[in-house]
Amino acid sequence: MAEEMNKPELRSSPSIIAKSRSLWPSVLRWIPTSTDHIIASEKRLLSLVKTSYVQELVNIGSGPPGSSVRWFRSSSNEPRFINTVTFDSKEGAPTLVMVHGYAASQGFFFKNFDYLANRFKVIAIDQLGWGGSSRPDFTCNSTEETEAWFIDSLEEWRKAKNLGNFILLGHSFGGYVAAKYALKHPEHVQHLILVGAAGFSSGSEEKYEWVNHFRATWKGVILSHLWESNFTPQKIIRGLGPWGPDLVQKYTAARFSPRYSAEGVFTEEESRLLSDYVYHISAAKASGELCLKYIFAFGAFARSPLLNSASEWKVPTTFIYGTEDWMDYQGAQAACKKMKVPCEIIRVPQAGHFVFLENKDGFHSAVLYACRRFLSPHPDDVPFPEGLISA
């Protein structure tokens, strides 16, 4: 039974919770985290959200039906779970599924849940291998297998949740996964919203020639080797052991400093709770993070660029970028020229890659405009939001 306000109902497997606990008190562990710590830090962060919600671990089984591999190439028959939060909504509201990016989890949308839950049935997930979801051993060895890890687990989650059609929003790497999912399962996606989406370019374009020059330098050689060795930022956090939380706190303060506007991105309490959350989702067992070298080449260029399949898209799409985003919105422009379905690009000022945190009001306006045909009886009469930029 769900508790009132933002005290969530927790539905989970007793065995998975039990296995997350350690015989050692966290103060005595080199890496002071666990699945329990992740869920607890998530609950503390989401205590800032006023809308009631339910948190559950959705069972997606041990592998997709008919597949000879489990999630994925795992030697275990154990079921896997997707950590999911579902917010209270008005009857008949359209369903909005939110997918986080690399090195993140669904809690990164904490400043958006209240606003969006007024218009949508908001469901946010931790992708398989991230956040509070199961973290199977990651032994994929190709781009195809790695994409299947995320796409098929998302589809099994959809089945378990008994969702028919929904609006799918993905940020950064989550945008890449969302787009690939919509390509494989377009019948379930009513509209696609890609926020600062990664994965459009292969890096072969002339404007990226500087990357090839950098690769040839000694620094480039070292960094390329680390990339191909699957050395991730999370490994640094784990290696620092009990000093890891301090590093994450400094990173969070620097990353979300008021660089695009005079206002700070977070209050002191928000910064503290987000830092705590980021530490626990980063320091836990390596799993989904190891996808990096199979999806992207050094420089974050896609090995299977979305641009190559743009002409095959069957789902209307809205691209949202902060004007200061290091992800190049021109990749989305190139994709729109190839797409045979309606598409649009919206740029949000005073925001970078985390547009939904850095200018949440502009982001909310962009999302509502993207979903106007689900929210308004006269979508063609809805004006373009003031202050935003159509590209």
Side-chain angles (χ1 to χ4, degrees):
M1 181 172 62
E3 300 176 27
E4 291 303 316
M5 297 305 293
N6 56 329
K7 297 179 180 178
E9 173 186 356
L10 174 60
R11 302 174 188 161
S12 57
S13 162
S15 63
I16 211 166
I17 294 296
K19 288 182 181 181
S20 71
R21 297 192 177 110
S22 168
L23 295 176
W24 290 92
S26 61
V27 71
L28 298 179
R29 298 180 208 153
W30 177 253
I31 304 175
T33 193
S34 66
T35 301
D36 287 350
H37 281 82
I38 293 173
I39 298 300
S41 66
E42 173 189 285
K43 186 175 180 180
R44 288 191 292 271
L45 180 63
L46 295 188
S47 70
L48 300 171
V49 179
K50 297 177 182 178
T51 308
S52 297
Y53 69 94
V54 171
Q55 182 265 333
E56 59 184 328
L57 297 176
V58 177
N59 190 334
I60 61 170
S62 59
S67 173
S68 60
V69 291
R70 304 180 184 94
W71 305 117
F72 231 101
R73 293 180 171 272
S74 171
S75 60
S76 172
N77 283 313
E78 292 181 5
R80 310 302 184 185
F81 296 83
I82 296 293
N83 186 38
T84 305
V85 290
T86 303
F87 291 84
D88 286 356
S89 61
K90 297 177 182 177
E91 187 72 28
T95 299
L96 174 66
V97 175
M98 304 180 73
V99 183
H100 63 83
Y102 187 85
S105 292
Q106 52 82 8
F108 270 64
F109 296 114
F110 77 100
K111 297 192 77 168
N112 314 112
F113 288 142
D114 278 331
Y115 184 91
L116 295 177
N118 280 323
R119 300 295 189 97
F120 303 94
K121 178 181 179 180
V122 175
I123 307 176
I125 66 168
D126 290 339
Q127 297 192 69
L128 184 66
W130 294 100
S133 292
S134 297
R135 292 177 177 244
D137 294 338
F138 189 91
T139 52
C140 298
N141 57 18
S142 70
T143 299
E144 293 73 23
E145 281 188 359
T146 304
E147 288 183 353
W149 164 291
F150 295 104
I151 296 168
D152 292 349
S153 59
L154 180 56
E155 172 60 5
E156 292 309 300
W157 171 85
R158 181 200 66 79
K159 292 177 184 176
K161 288 291 288 180
N162 196 29
L163 291 177
N165 298 321
F166 51 90
I167 301 162
L168 182 58
L169 181 153
H171 171 244
S172 194
F173 169 69
Y176 179 89
V177 172
K180 292 284 184 173
Y181 176 87
L183 278 164
K184 188 172 183 179
H185 302 285
E187 68 277 11
H188 300 304
V189 183
Q190 296 170 296
H191 195 86
L192 190 60
I193 303 176
L194 304 182
V195 183
F200 280 96
S201 172
S202 65
S204 60
E205 297 90 338
E206 185 176 343
K207 64 181 177 180
Y208 298 121
E209 186 61 31
W210 66 271
V211 177
N212 293 325
H213 289 308
F214 178 74
R215 283 187 183 130
T217 67
W218 67 269
K219 291 181 182 179
V221 170
I222 292 173
L223 290 175
S224 293
H225 175 74
L226 290 173
W227 186 282
E228 294 301 327
S229 300
N230 236 344
F231 185 86
T232 65
Q234 292 89 337
K235 291 183 179 180
I236 298 175
I237 294 171
R238 295 185 193 102
L240 287 173
W243 294 278
D246 186 55
L247 174 66
V248 172
Q249 190 278 327
K250 291 177 180 177
Y251 163 78
T252 305
R255 176 62 186 81
F256 296 105
S257 61
R259 65 181 74 182
Y260 305 124
S261 66
E263 287 185 28
V265 178
F266 299 130
T267 65
E268 184 176 336
E269 181 184 22
E270 289 172 341
S271 181
R272 176 177 58 81
L273 292 176
L274 182 62
S275 294
D276 177 57
Y277 178 69
V278 171
Y279 171 73
H280 289 296
I281 64 173
S282 300
K285 173 188 172 181
S287 181
E289 74 191 63
L290 300 176
C291 73
L292 196 59
K293 78 168 188 176
Y294 296 108
I295 299 294
F296 302 109
F298 177 67
F301 297 114
R303 298 190 187 276
S304 177
L306 293 171
L307 189 59
N308 293 353
S309 55
S311 62
E312 303 168 21
W313 289 20
K314 296 180 175 64
V315 178
T317 303
T318 300
F319 301 92
I320 300 175
Y321 288 88
T323 54
E324 308 302 321
D325 196 338
W326 64 274
M327 288 289 179
D328 189 357
Y329 76 95
Q330 292 177 337
Q333 287 182 317
C336 282
K337 292 177 181 178
K338 293 186 175 184
M339 292 169 67
K340 300 171 184 175
V341 293
C343 64
E344 60 193 358
I345 302 171
I346 303 174
R347 302 184 70 205
V348 179
Q350 295 184 320
H353 191 53
F354 288 92
V355 56
F356 50 89
L357 292 174
E358 293 159 335
N359 185 348
K360 67 180 189 301
D361 293 338
F363 171 74
H364 295 156
S365 294
V367 171
L368 294 191
Y369 185 76
C371 298
R372 57 196 179 277
R373 64 190 180 99
F374 306 102
L375 300 173
S376 172
H378 305 290
D380 293 338
D381 296 333
V382 175
F384 188 80
E386 185 177 353
L388 304 186
I389 303 166
S390 175

